[in-house]
């Protein structure tokens, strides 16, 4: 860290050497203070091919033969009762021209579809009601898993069920919606760790539940009740503590002073530990400074977490979380000097600044002190 000049109450100054940083980083400055107080088709006509001329007598015979044939054919086609007969061994032309049409598939009985719909959606509805009643945590996660499995089963069943013509489109819409609901129920399952958004908040922003509502209304309007009671949801919260409020405070009786400057775009909680023990945690709102007085002498590790929506029950933000620590220790000293007492004043800047001399490292959420 870079240390700045010290000041004393008796105007005696002690200078501590520091090394300026060349990069952009966070800052941690220390001041040793001596003080006694705290801070499109065409028909083609075929013409006979020209042949070698025959004798005229042969030609007439051909013509007469043709005329006689023309007179015989109509007579052969008429019966004594004037009805038209077919050729030998055949049925009438009208019978030959009328082939039987294929029979149409009977439509599905609407009552049968209603019964199948009720039997399929009933178990899912019960599972969704259980999600609505469950308390957040393991109980809610178990209910979400059960409801997700029921949604998947209902979708597979309705995909193969016999459906009336007027309900085919609506049934397909419901199948798609149920699949989406099952996926959303799985995704909403809480992890139980830090920075865990409530499952009810996740469901409130999911598309699956809304799709199920729309599909259900479409089928219900046709006379097929597809109503499901979806579990309650919650809007995203924006909980904050006051600037400088202690999240946790241990015994403080020294003269050291810590000031935290939060120039980030999120609220932060800064925690100082000695070994495995947490000395204190202080809440610093974005764009604000906070000062902790009466810090005991000792060497401290400085952790900080930033995010949105502080969940006091879990001592963690629920959205957009980060967990970090300063690589160097924060050392506080209180010593007697001539004419007074010398103590340490530290200032930490959480946002990176030009000339900063304090590097930080990411910390696994599970390793962040409570």
């Amino acid at each position: 860290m870079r240390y700045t000049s010290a000041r004393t109450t008796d105007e005696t100054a002690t200078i501590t050497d520091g090394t300026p940083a060349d990069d952009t980083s966070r800052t941690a400055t220390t001041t040793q203070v001596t003080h006694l107080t705290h801070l499109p088709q065409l028909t083609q006509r075929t013409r006979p091919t020209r042949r070698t001329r025959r004798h005229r007598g042969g030609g007439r015979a051909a013509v007469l033969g043709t005329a006689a044939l023309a007179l015989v054919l109509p007579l052969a086609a008429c019966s004594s009762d004037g009805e038209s007969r077919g050729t030998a061994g055949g049925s009438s032309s009208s019978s030959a021209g009328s082939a039987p049409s294929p029979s149409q598939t009977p439509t599905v009985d609407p009552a049968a579809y209603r019964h199948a719909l009720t039997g399929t959606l009933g178990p899912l509805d019960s599972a969704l009601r259980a999600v609505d009643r469950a308390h957040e945590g393991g109980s809610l996660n178990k209910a979400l898993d059960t409801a997700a499995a029921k949604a998947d089963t209902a979708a597979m069943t309705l995909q193969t069920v016999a459906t009336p013509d007027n309900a085919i489109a609506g049934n397909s819409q419901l199948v798609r919606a149920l699949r989406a609901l099952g996926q959303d129920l799985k995704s909403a399952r809480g992890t139980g760790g830090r920075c865990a958004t409530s499952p009810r908040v996740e469901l409130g922003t999911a598309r699956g539940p809304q799709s199920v509502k729309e599909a259900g209304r479409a089928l219900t309007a046709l006379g097929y009740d597809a109503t499901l009671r979806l579990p309650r949801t919650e809007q995203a919260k924006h909980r904050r503590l006051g600037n400088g409020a202690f999240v946790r405070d241990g015994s403080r009786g020294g003269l050291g002073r810590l000031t935290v400057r939060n120039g980030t775009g999120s609220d932060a909680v800064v925690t100082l530990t000695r070994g495995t023990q947490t000395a204190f945690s202080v809440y610093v709102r974005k764009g604000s400074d906070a000062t902790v007085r009466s810090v005991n002498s000792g060497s401290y590790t400085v952790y900080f977490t930033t995010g949105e929506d502080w969940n006091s029950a879990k001592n963690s933000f629920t959205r957009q979380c980060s967990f970090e620590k300063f690589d160097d220790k924060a050392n506080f000293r209180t010593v007697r000097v001539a004419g007074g007492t010398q103590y340490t004043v530290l200032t930490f800047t959480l946002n990176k600044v030009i000339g900063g001399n304090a590097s930080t490292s990411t910390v696994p959420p599970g390793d962040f002190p409570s």
Side-chain angles (χ1 to χ4, degrees), residues 9-370:
T9 53
D10 59 353
E11 297 183 357
T12 301
T14 301
I15 307 300
T16 304
D17 291 337
T19 302
D22 297 327
D23 60 341
T24 299
S25 183
R26 298 173 174 87
T27 61
T29 60
T30 305
T31 302
Q32 301 293 341
V33 179
T34 301
H35 209 283
L36 298 177
T37 58
H38 297 268
L39 295 236
Q41 172 177 10
L42 295 175
T43 301
Q44 181 178 2
R45 177 175 296 177
T46 303
R47 300 182 65 183
T49 305
R50 181 174 295 178
R51 299 177 180 177
T52 307
R53 290 186 179 181
R54 295 183 180 180
H55 298 288
R56 293 183 180 179
R60 289 197 186 102
V63 172
L64 291 176
T66 301
L69 180 60
L71 290 174
V72 172
L73 290 177
L75 292 175
C78 296
S79 66
S80 59
D81 56 4
E83 294 180 349
S84 175
R85 300 293 184 183
T87 58
S91 60
S92 65
S93 60
S94 60
S95 299
S98 57
S101 59
S103 60
Q104 296 180 351
T105 302
T107 186
V108 175
D109 182 10
Y113 175 65
R114 292 190 187 95
H115 180 74
L117 195 59
T118 301
T120 300
L121 296 181
L124 173 58
D125 189 69
S126 298
L128 292 174
R129 290 173 183 265
V131 171
D132 195 56
R133 297 189 301 266
H135 294 290
E136 192 159 330
S139 176
L140 180 54
N141 285 342
K142 183 178 179 180
L144 287 167
D145 289 341
T146 300
K150 297 294 184 183
D152 292 341
T153 299
M156 289 187 292
T157 301
L158 291 179
Q159 187 175 15
T160 60
V161 74
T163 308
D165 292 344
N166 65 338
I168 292 177
N171 187 77
S172 297
Q173 180 183 359
L174 182 57
V175 167
R176 292 192 298 270
L178 290 175
R179 286 173 176 162
L181 176 63
Q183 184 59 53
D184 288 341
L185 290 169
K186 295 172 188 175
S187 299
R189 195 179 188 280
T191 62
R194 291 179 178 271
C195 199
T197 302
S198 166
R200 301 195 188 279
V201 175
E202 293 285 353
L203 286 177
T205 59
R207 179 59 185 164
Q210 185 62 33
S211 297
V212 168
K213 286 182 180 180
E214 294 169 358
R217 283 195 294 262
L219 282 172
T220 301
L222 295 173
Y224 309 106
D225 187 10
T227 304
L228 285 169
R229 180 175 175 177
L230 295 167
R232 58 191 171 89
T233 61
E234 296 176 358
Q235 296 293 322
K237 298 179 181 179
H238 302 276
R239 294 166 289 186
R240 306 172 75 189
L241 299 182
N243 187 61
F246 283 100
V247 174
R248 182 172 178 177
D249 191 14
S251 60
R252 292 180 292 112
L255 298 178
R257 186 188 308 171
L258 171 67
T259 296
V260 179
R261 294 177 177 173
N262 184 6
T264 71
S266 303
D267 288 0
V269 170
V270 178
T271 300
L272 269 67
T273 65
R274 294 181 64 184
T276 60
Q277 300 297 316
T278 297
F280 59 86
S281 298
V282 61
Y283 196 98
V284 188
R285 290 193 171 192
K286 60 183 179 181
S288 301
D289 297 352
T291 298
V292 179
R293 303 175 185 276
S294 305
V295 180
N296 293 328
S297 296
S299 181
Y300 298 83
T301 301
V302 182
Y303 296 86
F304 65 100
T305 177
T306 62
E308 293 183 9
D309 181 39
W310 178 256
N311 185 341
S312 294
K314 293 184 177 181
N315 283 334
S316 178
F317 294 103
T318 67
R319 297 189 302 277
Q320 300 181 8
C321 306
S322 70
F323 301 92
E324 298 179 70
K325 71 174 182 178
F326 284 92
D327 294 329
D328 294 330
K329 298 280 188 176
N331 297 306
F332 289 88
R333 295 176 63 241
T334 300
V335 295
R336 294 284 184 179
V337 295
T341 303
Q342 188 179 77
Y343 58 91
T344 303
V345 174
L346 276 175
T347 299
F348 281 90
T349 304
L350 302 185
N351 53 297
K352 293 183 178 181
V353 295
I354 297 176
N357 63 337
S359 61
T360 61
S361 300
T362 300
V363 177
D367 293 346
F368 196 88
S370 300

